[in-house]
Amino acid sequence: MQPKKSPFPGMDPWLEDYWGDVHTRLTTYTSDRLQPNLPAGLKARIEEYVTVESKLHDEQWRHHLVPDVVVIEPYRLSTSEQEGSVAVMTETEAVLLPRDSEPPTLRRVQIIDTQNGNRVVTSIEFLSPANKIGRGLNQYRKKQREMIEGEVNLVEIDLVRTGDWSVAIDVGYVPVKLRGIYRATVVRDTRTDQCEYYAIPLTAPLPKLKIPLRPTDADVVLELQPLIEAAYINGGYADDIDYSKSPLLPLPKIIADWTSDWLKKHASS
C-alpha cells in the first residue's frame, strides 16, 4: 500500500501545527540531500541552538501550539475576584506550579569548509515561530546580521505564518504580489546588497533553491518539494490531520476559500 501524501501541490498549511517535528525532519533531510553533492572540502552539518522567547504577551504564540514549547495561559481574575470577594483557603500544603518553560532548541544546516579551519560557508535555516516573535526575533536578526557581515551565504526558508517578517530583505522591497504567506531567500556573501527571493504560493510545488558555496564552487540545487513530502509521509500526518477543521492559526479568507475548494477536489484522491 502506497503511503498517503498531502493533498496539496506544495506546502501543506496544516503542517504548521506540527512544526517542531516537521522542522527537525526538514533540517535533517536537507543535510542528507546536500552532503553527497558537495565538492571536496565541504561538509553539511546540523547545528543546534537555543532561542529565548517571551510568550505571554503575544497572542499569535499562544495560538501556535508546538510540541517542544509549553504554552502558559495568562492569569485572569475570575468574576468573584474582580468584585473583591475573598476565597477561603483550605489547603496548607505547597502546590507545585510551572514557573517557566524550557526555551526551544532549534536547528540549522551549516556547510563548513574542512580545509579552512571548519569555516562556515553557508547557513541554511528553516524559520520557526521562535525566530519570528519578541526576543527570539531580535536574537535571530542579530545572528542574521553577523552571518552576512561575516561573509557567510545565508539561505532562509519561511514556511510558518506565525510571527513577523523575518527574512533578510525588508518587506518594503518585495512587490505586494510576491509577498504571499511563505517565502525563501538567499543572500550571497559576494553580493550582500542583493537578495534572491523565492515566492512560495500554495498553488504550486515548492521551489528548487540554488545554494551558494565558496566563490570558486558551482551552486548546488536543493529541491524543497521532496523534503516536505517526505516529512508528511514519514511523520504519518495523513492519520493526524483533520482537514475539515481550520489550522490553529487560521488562513486569510481568500486563501481559506482556495484551500476549501482544493480539498473538496483532492483530499480523497
Side-chain angles (χ1 to χ4, degrees):
M1 183 177 178
Q2 290 291 326
K4 194 169 182 181
K5 297 181 179 181
S6 166
F8 289 94
M11 176 59 185
D12 186 327
W14 276 258
L15 286 179
E16 294 181 54
D17 297 347
Y18 305 89
W19 193 247
D21 176 66
V22 174
H23 178 274
T24 299
R25 292 179 186 275
L26 291 176
T27 304
T28 302
Y29 298 162
T30 295
S31 180
D32 292 345
R33 290 291 179 104
L34 290 175
Q35 195 78 272
N37 299 314
L38 295 176
L42 297 186
K43 299 289 184 183
R45 296 286 185 261
I46 295 175
E47 181 203 46
E48 288 190 347
Y49 66 99
V50 173
T51 184
V52 177
E53 185 52 67
S54 174
K55 295 178 280 296
L56 294 183
H57 73 285
D58 195 286
E59 192 69 22
Q60 290 189 75
W61 184 282
R62 287 189 282 116
H63 284 290
H64 191 96
L65 310 179
V66 291
D68 57 353
V69 175
V70 177
V71 181
I72 304 169
E73 181 67 22
Y75 176 71
R76 292 184 176 87
L77 293 176
S78 67
T79 302
S80 61
E81 287 173 318
Q82 292 178 49
E83 292 173 351
S85 62
V86 179
V88 178
M89 295 293 293
T90 58
E91 298 289 339
T92 57
E93 297 297 323
V95 179
L96 190 62
L97 300 173
R99 188 184 66 83
D100 201 357
S101 62
E102 290 294 321
T105 299
L106 302 181
R107 297 164 185 84
R108 59 167 67 96
V109 176
Q110 292 191 331
I111 299 174
I112 61 172
D113 188 346
T114 59
Q115 298 174 347
N116 188 18
N118 290 335
R119 178 183 179 275
V120 178
V121 172
T122 303
S123 182
I124 304 170
E125 181 109 35
F126 288 89
L127 298 186
S128 287
N131 300 130
K132 302 176 68 179
I133 295 172
R135 286 183 293 165
L137 172 60
N138 295 334
Q139 215 176 1
Y140 179 73
R141 284 179 172 160
K142 180 176 182 290
K143 187 66 176 178
Q144 192 181 63
R145 289 192 300 271
E146 290 174 352
M147 288 184 180
I148 294 173
E149 292 170 1
E151 299 182 339
V152 174
N153 300 302
L154 180 61
V155 179
E156 300 169 298
I157 303 155
D158 189 359
L159 299 176
V160 291
R161 293 170 294 125
T162 300
D164 295 330
W165 184 279
S166 306
V167 293
I169 181 174
D170 191 282
V171 66
Y173 287 109
V174 180
V176 174
K177 66 179 181 179
L178 297 180
R179 292 176 189 177
I181 59 174
Y182 305 122
R183 62 204 60 88
T185 59
V186 177
V187 178
R188 296 174 181 265
D189 68 326
T190 54
R191 288 301 306 268
T192 59
D193 60 329
Q194 293 182 341
C195 176
E196 296 167 20
Y197 181 88
Y198 296 80
I200 303 180
L202 280 181
T203 54
L206 276 72
K208 301 176 182 179
L209 304 185
K210 295 179 179 180
I211 307 298
L213 305 173
R214 295 167 298 197
T216 55
D217 297 321
D219 295 346
V220 293
V221 175
L222 177 64
E223 296 186 52
L224 294 181
Q225 189 59 38
L227 304 184
I228 203 72
E229 290 175 359
Y232 187 94
I233 291 170
N234 295 339
Y237 290 115
D239 299 326
D240 299 330
I241 295 175
D242 182 354
Y243 289 106
S244 68
K245 298 179 180 179
S246 174
L248 292 175
L249 182 62
L251 292 160
K253 185 179 185 308
I254 189 170
I255 298 176
D257 291 343
W258 180 86
T259 58
S260 177
D261 291 341
W262 181 271
L263 288 169
K264 287 176 184 176
K265 298 175 183 176
H266 301 277
S268 59
S269 59

